[in-house]
Amino acid sequence: MDSENSAPPLGDMNAADFRRYGHEIIDWIGDYLENMESRPVLALVRPNEFRAQIPESAPAQSEGMDAILADVDRLIAPALTHWNHPAFFAYFSISASAPGIFGELLAAAFNVNQMLWRTSPAATELEEVALSWLRQLLGLPVAFDGIIYDTASVSTMHAIAAARESLDLQIRERGMSGREGLPLLRVYASEQAHSSVEKALIALGLGTRALCKISTDAEFRMEVAALMHAIETDKQNGALPCCVVATVGTTSTTSIDPVTAIADVCEEHKVWLHVDAAYGGSAAIVPEMRHVLDGCERADSIVTNPHKWLFTPIDLSVLYCRRMDTLRRAFSLVPEYLRTNDAPEEVRNGMDYGIQLGRRFRSLKLWMVMRYFGHEGLASRIREHCRLARLFASWVEAAPDWELAAPVPFSLVCFRARPQNIDGETEQQRAARQDALNEALMHNVNATGEAFFSHTKLNGVFVIRLAIGNIRTTEEHIARAWQLLNEQLQQLTHLVLCN
Ligand code: PLP
């Protein structure tokens, strides 16, 4: 036990220690962010290697902050994959910006539970303010009200629950199981839609069979004629269309579904339109990119994730909805101990709009991010990410041994190596070799620790993704990534060709 800085017998850490360690932690974070590039992006650890270094049980006595912080530095940080690294290009790359980190810190200190207005007046109202600001930045109409959840998966699940509620099938009271006369409810999304849509159907008891996957065109966008046909066929077969999920910025390629045409179909068939703009929504902050949300003004609900491309630390997802009353009807349930005499027309109680009772004060970090960077600052950063993606794409296009695998509407580039001299007895063999080469190439670059890529499969072939979204990424980082890829390609082409 370290008597110097261990916990007192009762109560919390004393104020002097709090200040001392608080300063130490901020200094540590400052160094961490400043020297990020000295660390490997992808944790170069084997499973359970980290865990083996941590005692199996909690200590009986206080260990003191010095020892705890030393382990954060010595054990935890080295065993993390660093999402804040400027060469993190995998999945959708994200950022905890400085104002966002401060927002998280303050929210933890306040520790308010935003379940009711009266348990968190400023937090509840700041959420309304922050979401109104963001709505204006995105150019969405005032008819959209919003609510913050943790992730897009949860936002989409709530949107589909509201869509189901809008059908007036009394599912809230009577449920779905064992009910006669309840038609099969159907939800439509493109084959490029995120798996969170299917997970929502599992969670809501609609089942994965409720999902109708709509085909996409050569640029991975939902085919509206196929959507129309699917809805009509379902209706003829007695199924009930419940919701269409369109995506602005699909996960694999960031393709943009034709939302305006999809909205026409939804209007004609009176189906709830939910737009998954978890990644792509932020781009509408850039005035010349506002068109990416064209048609979304007609949606019933839209999810966008500031924790993806708006420099806000994870987690923070926003569900905008023009039918908040329906969302409320789906979820509001007030036990006696949570009843208040606050006028419902004056205050909003967050717990009424979702499955969770307790809610974190998430809006603080988003509000701080919007204030610190301002509209122009946010737009410049997103614009720069798109420029870097186009630049990288231009290098790929100009190189004979590489090819682009999809258009680049935002800041993601899908590409693959296509060495001229790769051969095989059959086309299948050649394609398999090319896939193996690209996969090995990606793993080898990742193993350098200098950059981290992830992949997808498009039309059955292995494709590497370069996702730019970290606030610290510069042209230098993508140039180095390109160099690493080319170095690995040279080494590997030789090996694959010799096999
Ligand atoms: N929608 C899209 C388009 C995504 O790309 C993702 C994740 O990358 C999600 C939804 C799920 O996001 P979350 O992790 O916030 O649930």
Side-chain angles (χ1 to χ4, degrees):
M1 189 177 104
D2 183 340
S3 57
E4 275 279 292
N5 56 78
S6 55
L10 290 174
D12 198 4
M13 181 184 289
N14 68 53
D17 276 359
F18 181 82
R19 287 199 172 82
R20 177 181 150 202
Y21 290 112
H23 285 122
E24 243 179 61
I25 288 171
I26 291 291
D27 277 344
W28 189 93
I29 296 173
D31 290 345
Y32 171 72
L33 295 175
E34 195 177 356
N35 304 316
M36 181 69 74
E37 286 170 68
S38 63
R39 297 176 184 270
V41 194
L42 177 66
L44 304 175
V45 289
R46 286 185 305 279
N48 295 315
E49 196 178 321
F50 164 74
R51 194 175 165 169
Q53 300 180 77
I54 305 285
E56 278 181 20
S57 309
Q61 262 101 43
S62 166
E63 288 199 16
M65 283 307 287
D66 286 334
I68 299 168
L69 294 181
D71 281 355
V72 170
D73 183 64
R74 189 177 60 91
L75 300 177
I76 296 182
L80 288 174
T81 289
H82 297 287
W83 285 73
N84 242 354
H85 195 296
F88 186 110
F89 300 122
Y91 314 108
F92 279 128
S93 105
I94 56 177
S95 320
S97 63
I101 294 171
F102 290 149
E104 276 288 11
L105 186 61
L106 287 168
F110 291 133
N111 199 32
V112 294
N113 186 337
Q114 215 184 304
M115 53 194 193
L116 299 168
W117 174 84
R118 70 164 45 191
T119 64
S120 55
T124 299
E125 293 179 20
L126 193 69
E127 177 164 332
E128 291 169 14
V129 169
L131 296 193
S132 166
W133 285 12
L134 180 63
R135 180 186 53 69
Q136 293 169 52
L137 295 184
L138 297 174
L140 290 171
V142 71
F144 281 101
D145 210 340
I147 180 100
I148 294 178
Y149 299 116
D150 53 359
T151 57
S153 306
V154 168
S155 293
T156 289
M157 187 198 77
H158 284 90
I160 297 175
R164 183 175 67 178
E165 182 64 24
S166 74
L167 297 172
D168 286 328
L169 297 170
Q170 295 176 302
I171 288 173
R172 182 192 153 108
E173 298 79 21
R174 298 178 58 205
M176 298 180 77
S177 68
R179 268 181 78 177
E180 273 182 25
L182 191 67
L184 172 68
L185 302 188
R186 291 282 265 173
V187 172
Y188 309 82
S190 95
E191 56 197 16
Q192 291 290 325
H194 191 260
S195 51
S196 53
V197 177
E198 200 160 350
K199 270 207 180 177
L201 303 184
I202 297 170
L204 292 169
L206 279 89
T208 56
R209 73 177 180 142
L211 181 63
C212 179
K213 286 195 183 180
I214 307 295
S215 55
T216 52
D217 65 15
E219 295 193 355
F220 310 102
R221 300 168 299 200
M222 186 191 284
E223 283 180 320
V224 181
L227 171 68
M228 180 81 110
H229 179 71
I231 292 179
E232 281 165 1
T233 309
D234 275 348
K235 279 181 150 178
Q236 280 158 18
N237 293 335
L240 184 55
C242 170
C243 180
V244 174
V245 182
T247 310
V248 172
T250 57
T251 312
S252 277
T253 69
T254 68
S255 59
I256 305 173
D257 286 338
V259 179
T260 301
I262 294 170
D264 288 341
V265 176
C266 289
E267 254 167 44
E268 185 183 334
H269 290 279
K270 300 198 169 36
V271 184
W272 184 289
L273 173 58
H274 174 62
V275 177
D276 178 354
Y279 161 76
S282 296
I285 285 179
V286 184
E288 67 273 19
M289 292 185 78
R290 194 167 260 193
H291 62 87
V292 301
L293 290 184
D294 277 356
C296 292
E297 69 285 354
R298 293 165 63 195
D300 295 285
S301 55
I302 305 170
V303 56
T304 186
N305 273 12
H307 80 219
K308 280 204 184 336
W309 202 12
L310 209 59
F311 319 119
T312 306
I314 194 164
D315 48 14
L316 200 160
S317 175
V318 178
L319 181 71
Y320 283 112
C321 184
R322 51 166 76 243
R323 297 162 74 177
M324 289 298 272
D325 52 326
T326 310
L327 183 62
R328 190 173 190 281
R329 214 169 64 214
F331 287 104
S332 180
L333 183 70
V334 187
E336 183 53 40
Y337 83 103
L338 293 172
R339 285 189 197 285
T340 71
N341 54 4
D342 300 319
E345 61 285 358
E346 273 183 357
V347 304
R348 174 192 281 184
N349 295 320
M351 68 165 200
D352 286 338
Y353 297 87
I355 195 71
Q356 62 183 107
L357 167 62
R359 304 180 71 242
R360 299 179 59 223
F361 186 3
R362 292 194 181 91
S363 61
L364 183 58
K365 57 187 171 182
L366 174 60
W367 179 74
M368 288 173 68
V369 165
M370 286 189 286
R371 283 192 70 173
Y372 180 73
F373 293 112
H375 188 175
E376 287 174 14
L378 293 170
S380 310
R381 285 164 178 79
I382 291 172
R383 189 184 287 120
E384 173 66 1
H385 287 170
C386 295
R387 183 188 76 81
L388 294 179
R390 284 194 302 273
L391 182 65
F392 186 90
S394 71
W395 298 337
V396 172
E397 275 184 308
D401 284 345
W402 296 89
E403 65 183 355
L404 281 184
V408 183
F410 296 103
S411 66
L412 172 85
V413 187
C414 290
F415 63 100
R416 63 195 316 247
R418 191 199 46 185
Q420 309 286 303
N421 49 1
I422 236 181
D423 220 346
E425 273 159 30
T426 61
E427 178 54 28
Q428 222 180 0
Q429 207 174 54
R430 204 196 61 77
R433 280 192 177 168
Q434 200 177 334
D435 271 7
L437 172 82
N438 276 280
E439 194 168 349
L441 183 58
M442 185 185 80
H443 288 310
N444 288 4
V445 171
N446 291 347
T448 66
E450 278 201 68
F452 178 30
F453 292 91
S454 63
H455 78 284
T456 189
K457 278 199 168 174
L458 297 176
N459 300 319
V461 304
F462 190 97
V463 165
I464 305 175
R465 293 167 72 265
L466 169 108
I468 301 170
N470 186 270
I471 196 161
R472 295 171 188 87
T473 302
T474 64
E475 193 168 323
E476 215 177 290
H477 298 108
I478 60 158
R480 177 65 186 141
W482 181 231
Q483 192 184 11
L484 284 169
L485 286 159
N486 278 290
E487 282 168 13
Q488 288 301 326
L489 177 62
Q490 268 189 1
Q491 288 182 22
L492 278 169
T493 322
H494 178 69
L495 285 177
V496 173
L497 290 176
C498 295
N499 277 317

